[in-house]
Amino acid sequence: MSDEGGTPGGRRGYAGTWPPREAVAPAGGYTPISVGAWPPIVETLRHWARAEAGAGRLLPWLPVAFGSGIALYFAADHEPVLSLAALVAIALCAAAFLLRRRQAFAVAVMIAAVAAGFAVATWRTARVVHGVLGRPMFSVSLTGFVETRDIRERTDRFVLRVASIESQRGAPKLERVRLSVKKGTAPEVGSFVELKARLQPPLAPLRPGSYDFGRDLYFQGIGASGFVLGAIKTTVPPESRGLALRYAAFMQGVRDAIDARIRNVLEGDNRAIATALLTGRRDAISEPVNDAMFVSGLGHVLSISGYHMAVVAGVVFFAVRALLALFPTLTVSYPIKKWAAAAALGAAAFYLLLSGAEVATQRSFFMTAVVLIAVMVDRRAVTFRTLAVAAMIVLVIAPEALVHPSFQMSFAATLGLVALVQIGMPHLFAAPDHSATARIALWGGREVAMLLLASLIAGLATTPYAAFHFHRVAPFGVIANLAAMPVVSALVMPAGLLGLLAMPFGFDGVFWAIMGTGIDWMIVVAQWVAALPGAVGRISAFGIGPLIAASVGIILLGLLRTPLRLVGAAVLLIAVVWAVRAPQPDILISGDGRNVAVRGGDGRLHLMRTAKDAFLAKEWLAADADVRTASDPSLMEGVSCDQGGCVTPAAGGSFIALTQQAEALADDCERAALIVTARKVPQGCTAAIIDAERLRRQGGLALRRNPSGFVIDAVKPAGIDRPWSPAMSGEGQPETTVRIQGTAPRAIDATPSESDLQSED
């Protein structure tokens, strides 16, 4: 064997003669990556991976794995077995504990966290299990306690905890129902009432892949919704209201008192927004202002979230600390910073109770509480660990929050902001290199840059979720937030807090007026930005796949510290391309079969309907990135209707029919390629049929054309049976496609006319 020796170039070769192989270039000047170049690349990747798996880097990934387990639970076709899910989770957690000193510990912990998330979600559903109305009931007698009440723009709404329910056809057992009433007639919270109502099952998704409102109501304990028929009678309850109802009645009284005081000073949208910011009741905001807020990117202000909780806690923290700092003895001898944090925590807890303690507000409170507790125990407040602890608390208490847009958008934005604080701020707050930089910093340039970056990053992080759930993005959201949020933070919210403090003493009016001035500015900014050309960024609906990919990309970009985070950018790019290329349906059919949207030759949807449903039409148009409103006359272009039903041509030239009367079926079977009807179809009908029974079992349908017919996506695919969406009984499993048979030639009358016969004679 030859000995290793040196080469003239300083490299080491063998026999001291030939240079190493990687130094040899082939003819032509092109040098591909040789075998010898891979070891440094692999070693670099290993170095980055070791850095990412270093001490303290595991905790931020725990809520990611835990949330993945919850996502798997909601993706299941039927309800898992709780005992088995719990047993598997306990076994895997025990295995992870036993492997705590082994290299496989990190992998074992992640697997155990996934199993724990799955088990906790299963347990949560088992704990809230209750009856869900399966069919409409048109006249039901109800008695019960009023638990909550919402004041809205046109109607009021309340939740009734059912004590008794009676109907001529027999009534299922329901624990809670949500009822709408004429404005101003909602009963007081805590009162015991008797009434008649028309009940409907909880609202199912309006199209395959859209948001499941019924799932939300299920986890709130609500099994039906509807409206009151006639008068509401308040009576003496047969039993005590209980502590929970007494507390709810007290807090409702506080909210009503605050709203009444604000009403004395402010009117219209100013009053509605002020009440929304302080009590969480945002349903009274007019539709034009509400739309302008969301189009401009300021819609997050209307829903009490982490921003509001942070402002409340921050104002109290700095105010208390400043007051205590006025006393030198306290400043020197006592931890006034911790006292201020404790006062801010108490203020945040009161704000949580005042705003109704909804899941989104609970999440915001937990995040704020973790930050304040970190201050009290001398830990860094804004870190990935803080975010991880807050996320775990929320997901353990309410696993269903994972599939809610507010949770997704809030934590995506917070993850981006924490990453900015951990990575961006050290660079922005570095010592200036020259006098120009120093002057810019002194004049607030650094703070403006941070505000701009924070708005940009939070907006970009929430874009995938806004596009998926609401089918729109805010291209000018950064402009709106830069113009409005400083006023909201420095004027509107502090004035609101001072108004609450001054209200018992009767000096709150001036603070409501100041608050109204700031809200005026916010509305002006929202309407101005919403009116800019291109302010409404509409996105067509796409499936859950691109959203998952986008979430993975955001998590990788936010949590990874090394250049491996660029993998997240690549995954995000894939998600964008995937979402843009998602195919759109050719036909949409509502769950009740009364509305059918058909994509015409112009590429737009045309609507056949036997009952108007503006909310449904609005959702369908939004999911199609269509700028038209539900009342736009062009929706009916090309649609022919009579008493028998409606018919319209599809993009391929075939006809789609919505048939109401049996007499029209013969002609529709002969001419149409697809018929949607609740009537019995005659034998030998050559058209594809979507009947009422199929819609009853599968809900709304989306059909995409293929060479042989249509591929069907259903709100409830065959085999799906969950507590909030129970499977309907029926024979067999519906097909996932419908085939279009060749239309039989129309029979032609062969009888000659008399004139023709005479001419032949």
Side-chain angles (χ1 to χ4, degrees):
M1 179 179 293
S2 60
D3 296 328
E4 186 178 13
T7 61
R11 295 174 178 253
R12 298 184 66 82
Y14 290 92
T17 305
W18 295 100
R21 290 184 178 274
E22 59 267 26
V24 180
Y30 173 71
T31 308
I33 298 178
S34 63
V35 176
W38 284 110
I41 296 176
V42 173
E43 183 57 33
T44 300
L45 293 176
R46 287 178 178 174
H47 174 71
W48 290 343
R50 285 194 295 267
E52 296 293 353
R57 297 294 299 140
L58 183 62
L59 181 60
W61 291 96
L62 278 178
V64 176
F66 192 84
S68 299
I70 296 174
L72 288 175
Y73 164 80
F74 282 106
D77 291 340
H78 56 83
E79 197 62 18
V81 179
L82 175 59
S83 58
L84 183 59
L87 184 63
V88 171
I90 293 172
L92 290 174
C93 289
F97 178 77
L98 295 175
L99 294 172
R100 64 189 183 279
R101 301 187 186 280
R102 304 290 182 88
Q103 284 188 338
F105 174 67
V107 175
V109 167
M110 293 297 107
I111 295 175
V114 171
F118 189 89
V120 167
T122 307
W123 171 79
R124 167 67 174 166
T125 303
R127 192 164 65 90
V128 301
V129 64
H130 59 85
V132 176
L133 187 65
R135 294 178 178 272
M137 302 180 69
F138 297 99
S139 181
V140 183
S141 297
L142 296 167
T143 65
F145 289 100
V146 178
E147 288 192 336
T148 63
R149 184 183 65 183
D150 295 327
I151 308 299
R152 304 193 296 170
E153 183 182 7
R154 297 180 180 177
T155 61
D156 294 342
R157 191 168 60 190
F158 66 94
V159 173
L160 184 72
R161 190 177 73 189
V162 178
S164 67
I165 177 170
E166 297 178 0
S167 176
Q168 293 180 352
R169 297 186 177 182
K173 184 179 180 181
L174 301 174
E175 293 186 6
R176 289 177 180 83
V177 297
R178 190 175 67 181
L179 301 172
S180 296
V181 295
K182 183 180 179 181
K183 190 168 181 62
T185 62
E188 296 292 332
V189 173
S191 60
F192 188 83
V193 297
E194 297 178 358
L195 53 88
K196 285 187 177 295
R198 179 174 296 180
L199 299 181
Q200 297 282 346
L203 183 62
L206 299 177
R207 57 175 181 79
S210 67
Y211 193 71
D212 193 343
F213 300 96
R215 183 181 57 208
D216 271 1
L217 292 180
Y218 180 83
F219 284 100
Q220 296 174 33
I222 298 173
S225 60
F227 57 90
V228 172
L229 300 172
I232 301 174
K233 182 181 179 182
T234 303
T235 63
V236 178
E239 58 184 14
S240 174
R241 293 188 299 176
L243 183 60
L245 273 177
R246 292 179 186 274
Y247 159 76
F250 171 76
M251 293 307 301
Q252 186 66 42
V254 173
R255 297 186 197 102
D256 291 342
I258 294 172
D259 184 59
R261 298 290 293 184
I262 295 175
R263 192 187 299 270
N264 292 333
V265 180
L266 304 178
E267 297 180 352
D269 289 311
N270 286 38
R271 177 192 67 81
I273 293 176
T275 301
L277 293 176
L278 296 178
T279 68
R281 289 163 39 172
R282 58 185 181 273
D283 293 322
I285 303 171
S286 66
E287 187 173 350
V289 171
N290 189 70
D291 288 344
M293 293 290 288
F294 279 95
V295 169
S296 64
L298 292 175
H300 64 92
V301 179
L302 303 180
S303 177
I304 293 179
S305 60
Y307 163 76
H308 303 78
M309 199 68 69
V311 170
V312 169
V315 169
V316 173
F317 176 83
F318 289 110
V320 171
R321 191 177 184 186
L323 289 174
L324 294 176
L326 296 176
F327 302 93
T329 303
L330 296 177
T331 305
V332 174
S333 305
Y334 297 96
I336 62 172
K337 181 180 179 180
K338 297 181 180 180
W339 291 3
L345 182 59
F350 174 75
Y351 191 41
L352 170 71
L353 299 177
L354 180 64
S355 61
E358 296 181 354
V359 173
T361 316
Q362 292 178 25
R363 181 196 64 247
S364 306
F365 170 76
F366 291 137
M367 181 67 190
T368 305
V370 171
V371 171
L372 294 173
I373 292 172
V375 172
M376 288 189 279
V377 297
D378 296 320
R379 293 294 186 94
R380 292 182 63 186
V382 182
T383 65
F384 290 110
R385 289 188 175 189
T386 303
L387 178 62
V389 172
M392 285 297 295
I393 293 174
V394 173
L395 292 177
V396 168
I397 294 176
E400 68 274 12
L402 180 77
V403 294
H404 198 280
S406 67
F407 176 91
Q408 298 166 2
M409 297 177 72
S410 177
F411 270 97
T414 307
L415 176 61
L417 294 176
V418 172
L420 174 64
V421 171
Q422 296 286 299
I423 300 171
M425 285 180 64
H427 297 287
L428 288 174
F429 289 172
D433 296 327
H434 48 78
S435 59
T437 305
R439 286 196 297 270
I440 292 174
L442 288 174
W443 284 97
R446 186 170 58 187
E447 285 71 19
V448 172
M450 282 300 302
L451 182 60
L452 178 63
L453 282 174
S455 299
L456 179 62
I457 289 175
L460 290 176
T462 57
T463 293
Y465 307 99
F468 179 80
H469 293 288
F470 310 117
H471 318 299
R472 60 187 179 189
V473 295
F476 304 128
V478 173
I479 298 175
N481 280 275
L482 286 175
M485 295 315 294
V487 175
V488 176
S489 302
L491 187 67
V492 174
M493 290 301 296
L497 293 177
L498 292 174
L500 291 178
L501 292 174
M503 199 172 76
F505 307 99
F507 296 103
D508 53 312
V510 62
F511 298 109
W512 305 137
I514 295 173
M515 195 176 184
T517 302
I519 292 173
D520 279 334
W521 171 253
M522 183 174 64
I523 293 175
V524 168
V525 170
Q527 292 177 334
W528 172 69
V529 172
L532 292 176
V536 183
R538 301 186 182 275
I539 307 294
S540 299
F542 50 88
I544 193 66
L547 183 68
I548 294 175
S551 300
V552 171
I554 291 172
I555 291 171
L556 293 177
L557 278 173
L559 292 185
L560 296 182
R561 303 290 186 89
T562 66
L564 286 174
R565 72 165 66 96
L566 296 179
V567 175
V571 175
L572 268 177
L573 180 61
I574 293 172
V576 170
V577 175
W578 190 357
V580 171
R581 295 178 62 86
Q584 297 305 307
D586 295 296
I587 300 173
L588 289 166
I589 304 173
S590 65
D592 58 7
R594 297 182 178 181
N595 291 263
V596 179
V598 179
R599 194 173 303 281
D602 57 358
R604 301 196 301 175
L605 293 177
H606 298 269
L607 190 59
M608 300 185 292
R609 51 190 174 189
T610 59
K612 290 187 177 181
D613 190 335
F615 183 63
L616 174 76
K618 182 179 179 181
E619 167 65 18
W620 281 358
L621 292 172
D624 206 53
D626 197 321
V627 299
R628 294 176 293 175
T629 63
S631 58
D632 195 311
S634 64
L635 289 172
M636 300 297 293
E637 287 181 359
V639 178
S640 301
C641 294
D642 57 21
Q643 294 181 351
C646 298
V647 64
T648 189
S654 58
F655 285 89
I656 312 299
L658 173 60
T659 308
Q660 281 187 287
Q661 296 182 359
E663 294 79 7
L665 279 171
D667 197 38
D668 290 343
C669 283
E670 186 177 335
R671 296 173 179 268
L674 176 72
I675 298 175
V676 180
T677 183
R679 303 293 180 180
K680 185 177 180 180
V681 180
Q683 293 286 341
C685 183
T686 58
I689 304 298
I690 301 294
D691 58 11
E693 179 62 22
R694 180 169 196 156
L695 295 174
R696 184 183 70 85
R697 283 184 285 161
Q698 293 198 290
L701 303 176
L703 283 67
R704 288 181 288 107
R705 184 181 294 275
N706 66 10
S708 61
F710 294 98
V711 177
I712 299 178
D713 294 323
V715 165
K716 289 198 305 182
I720 299 296
D721 185 13
R722 303 308 300 270
W724 54 87
S725 181
M728 298 293 180
S729 59
E731 296 181 1
Q733 297 292 343
E735 296 180 356
T736 58
T737 60
V738 290
R739 298 185 179 277
I740 305 299
Q741 301 180 10
T743 305
R746 189 175 183 180
I748 302 175
D749 187 359
T751 305
S753 65
E754 292 185 4
S755 60
D756 291 337
L757 289 173
Q758 291 174 357
S759 63
E760 290 292 330
D761 292 340

